[in-house]
């Protein structure tokens, strides 16, 4: 079970009034099933620290409401009557997840247990990238998807590549979208008629990896994503690190090359200018506006290329930034997402070696793990769904 995830919400109900205790136990049980999947009543009792009569009452109540069901496991082991498995019913609680990218918007309807019920995406161009156009298209597409699937979402989570104020979903700046000071949370809540939560895309990547990816049992991690820009999300002691008003994670603007290329942020030599998509294109000898699919195909063709190779200098700059991140954050794990997931294994291995050699903190903790994301392009969409589920699970 993902202990860090449970720890974020708490698990004790000591001193609570009976109705509060019932609500807490119900929410804790649903979170367990949502994150870790079906299990028996006995396992639920052991993991949640509740007695069997309490578990029976909670499961029976949820079953009567159609939120869970019980079934004989498909695979039986041993003799005797098998224990029934408690299974979440995906369509009993559904959320809308939206990942606004620079060149595309992806959305999905996600049911209890993390099951994707349906999805839709569309490309963005300069004329369709304005906040008004995106908001209208999200609202229309969400309605069509809900009608097609015959579901009613209970909340929405939105991932945006920019500086987002987490308490109200205000987008201070999303430079690659050319957005500034957009009340995205309020505007989407008004047209969707749903509770809406908006967050930075890299923060959503970190949440996704923590709940459903390579960092499920990791309490301290940093997620680094590369798209047009570079961003970071941090989980510290099992909780998202959000900073003042939620403004955190602009790791792409660490200055790694003083006097280097100018960055839109007003500085020069930012990490983003050395390892973002444009820098990767330059390293591959391609125009900076090369389509993403062509870039990925070229990276795949280098999977057996030796190091040093065409990405040797790129790897140096990636490692330079990661050394600073590891020395500052001391994470157990660094997850590389988005375009970084297409880097040849030899390049990732080279970066890992450089970080271990150059980071005092990495050596002190026995070597910070550096892995590519198994969730790939879906990471931020998965994170947006989990963001939406946080309040929903307590209200089912």
């Amino acid at each position: 079970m993902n202990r860090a995830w449970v720890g974020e919400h708490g698990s004790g109900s000591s001193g609570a009034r009976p109705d509060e205790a019932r609500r807490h136990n119900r929410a804790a049980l649903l979170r367990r099933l949502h994150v870790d999947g079906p299990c028996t009543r006995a396992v639920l009792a052991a993991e949640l620290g509740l007695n069997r009569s309490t578990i029976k009452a909670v499961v029976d109540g949820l079953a009567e409401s159609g939120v869970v069901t019980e079934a004989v496991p498909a695979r039986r082991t041993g003799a005797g009557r098998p224990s029934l498995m408690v299974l979440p019913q995906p369509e009993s609680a559904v959320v809308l997840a939206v990942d606004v990218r620079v060149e595309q918007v992806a959305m999905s309807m996600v049911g209890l247990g993390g099951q994707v019920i349906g999805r839709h995406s569309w490309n963005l161009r300069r004329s369709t990238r304005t906040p008004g156009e995106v908001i209208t298209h999200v609202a229309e597409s969400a309605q069509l998807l809900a009608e097609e699937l015959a579901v009613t979402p209970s909340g929405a989570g939105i991932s945006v590549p920019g500086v987002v104020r987490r308490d109200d979903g205000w987008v201070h700046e999303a430079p690659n979208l050319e957005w500034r000071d957009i009340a995205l949370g309020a505007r989407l809540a008004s047209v969707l008629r749903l509770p809406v939560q908006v967050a930075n895309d890299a923060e959503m990547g970190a949440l996704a990896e923590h709940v459903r990816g390579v960092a499920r049992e990791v309490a301290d991690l940093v997620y680094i994503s590369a798209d047009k820009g570079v961003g970071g999300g941090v989980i510290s002691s099992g909780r998202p690190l959000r900073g003042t008003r939620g403004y955190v994670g602009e790791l792409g603007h660490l200055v790694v090359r003083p006097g280097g290329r100018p960055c839109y942020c007003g500085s020069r030599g930012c990490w983003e200018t050395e390892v973002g998509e444009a820098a990767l294109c330059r390293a591959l000898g391609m125009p900076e506006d090369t389509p993403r699919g062509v870039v990925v195909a070229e990276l795949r063709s280098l999977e057996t290329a030796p190091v040093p190779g065409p990405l040797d200098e790129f790897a140096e700059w990636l490692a330079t930034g990661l050394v600073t991140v590891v020395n500052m954050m001391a994470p157990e794990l660094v997850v590389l997402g988005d375009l970084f997931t297409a880097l040849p294994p030899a390049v990732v291995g080279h970066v890992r070696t450089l970080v271990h050699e150059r980071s005092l903190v990495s050596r002190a903790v026995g070597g910070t793990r550096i892995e590519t994301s198994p969730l790939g392009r879906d990471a931020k969409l998965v994170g947006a769904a989990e963001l939406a589920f946080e309040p929903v699970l307590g209200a089912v």
Side-chain angles (χ1 to χ4, degrees):
M1 183 177 184
N2 193 332
R3 302 292 180 186
W5 174 251
V6 172
E8 181 179 343
H9 297 277
S11 59
S13 57
S14 177
R17 290 178 297 188
D19 55 340
E20 293 174 345
R22 281 192 292 271
R23 283 195 298 271
H24 169 84
N25 293 338
R26 183 182 175 105
L29 189 148
L30 281 177
R31 286 190 183 101
R32 164 56 180 83
L33 295 176
H34 174 69
V35 173
D36 292 298
C39 64
T40 65
R41 294 188 183 196
V43 170
L44 288 171
E47 291 189 353
L48 300 178
L50 301 173
N51 60 48
R52 294 197 174 196
S53 62
T54 300
I55 288 294
K56 180 180 185 305
V58 175
V59 171
D60 287 349
L62 289 171
E64 289 173 8
S65 303
V67 179
V68 303
T69 188
E70 292 186 274
V72 175
R75 293 184 178 180
R76 302 186 186 187
T77 58
R81 182 179 178 183
S83 298
L84 295 176
M85 300 290 287
V86 183
L87 298 84
Q89 293 290 87
E91 294 186 5
S92 66
V94 176
V95 301
L96 170 69
V98 181
D99 179 19
V100 181
R101 305 165 186 165
V102 177
E103 297 175 342
Q104 187 186 67
V105 176
M107 69 162 47
S108 62
M109 291 288 182
V110 182
L112 187 64
Q115 180 176 321
V116 175
I117 300 172
R119 58 195 305 161
H120 176 60
S121 64
W122 63 94
N123 293 329
L124 292 179
R125 297 175 178 81
R126 185 172 294 274
S127 61
T128 59
R129 199 181 289 155
T130 65
E133 287 286 342
V134 170
I135 289 168
T136 298
H137 203 151
V138 166
E140 291 175 349
S141 298
Q143 181 177 354
L144 290 173
L145 196 57
E147 290 174 353
E148 176 186 334
L149 300 170
V151 298
T152 302
S154 301
I158 318 294
S159 167
V160 178
V163 181
V164 180
R165 191 166 66 197
R166 283 283 284 107
D167 52 4
D168 62 358
W170 179 274
V171 179
H172 174 66
E173 189 173 5
N176 289 313
L177 288 170
E178 299 179 359
W179 291 7
R180 188 176 181 86
D181 294 331
I182 307 298
L184 187 63
R187 291 173 66 175
L188 276 172
S190 175
V191 295
L192 291 173
R193 298 180 182 178
L194 290 172
V196 171
Q197 296 190 74
V198 185
N200 170 266
D201 61 344
E203 181 187 342
M204 294 299 88
L207 178 60
E209 295 297 338
H210 185 48
V211 178
R212 300 199 180 275
V214 72
R216 286 174 61 86
E217 300 298 331
V218 175
D220 295 283
L221 71 114
V222 177
Y223 174 89
I224 306 291
S225 65
D227 198 334
K228 292 292 185 182
V230 171
V234 181
I235 301 289
S236 179
S237 299
R239 298 170 180 264
L241 182 65
R242 288 175 176 155
T244 302
R245 305 296 297 275
Y247 295 139
V248 75
E250 292 302 317
L251 299 180
H253 298 287
L254 293 170
V255 175
V256 297
R257 192 174 192 171
R261 290 175 177 269
C263 181
Y264 64 79
C265 73
S267 188
R268 300 180 72 92
C270 290
W271 196 22
E272 183 170 298
T273 67
E274 303 301 327
V275 298
E277 185 174 37
L280 189 54
C281 288
R282 294 195 302 270
L284 294 169
M286 296 175 158
E288 292 186 2
D289 59 352
T290 300
R292 169 68 66 89
V294 176
V295 175
V296 171
E298 179 64 17
L299 289 171
R300 299 299 188 202
S301 75
L302 297 174
E303 286 189 355
T304 58
V307 175
L311 296 178
D312 190 46
E313 185 179 357
F314 180 90
E316 283 282 338
W317 289 118
L318 179 54
T320 297
L322 287 177
V323 168
T324 299
V325 169
V326 170
N327 283 343
M328 285 195 307
M329 305 289 188
E332 177 184 343
L333 172 67
V334 173
V335 183
L336 302 177
D338 276 344
L339 261 178
F340 290 145
T341 64
L343 290 174
V347 172
V348 176
H350 182 51
V351 169
R352 186 182 295 118
T353 298
L354 292 175
V355 173
H356 291 176
E357 290 175 349
R358 299 174 184 177
S359 167
L360 176 65
V361 170
S362 180
R363 294 197 301 274
V365 300
T368 300
R369 290 167 52 205
I370 299 175
E371 307 289 349
T372 54
S373 167
L375 299 176
R377 288 278 279 174
D378 275 348
K380 294 161 185 179
L381 197 60
V382 171
E386 295 306 322
L387 179 70
F389 264 117
E390 287 182 13
V392 169
L393 292 174
V396 173

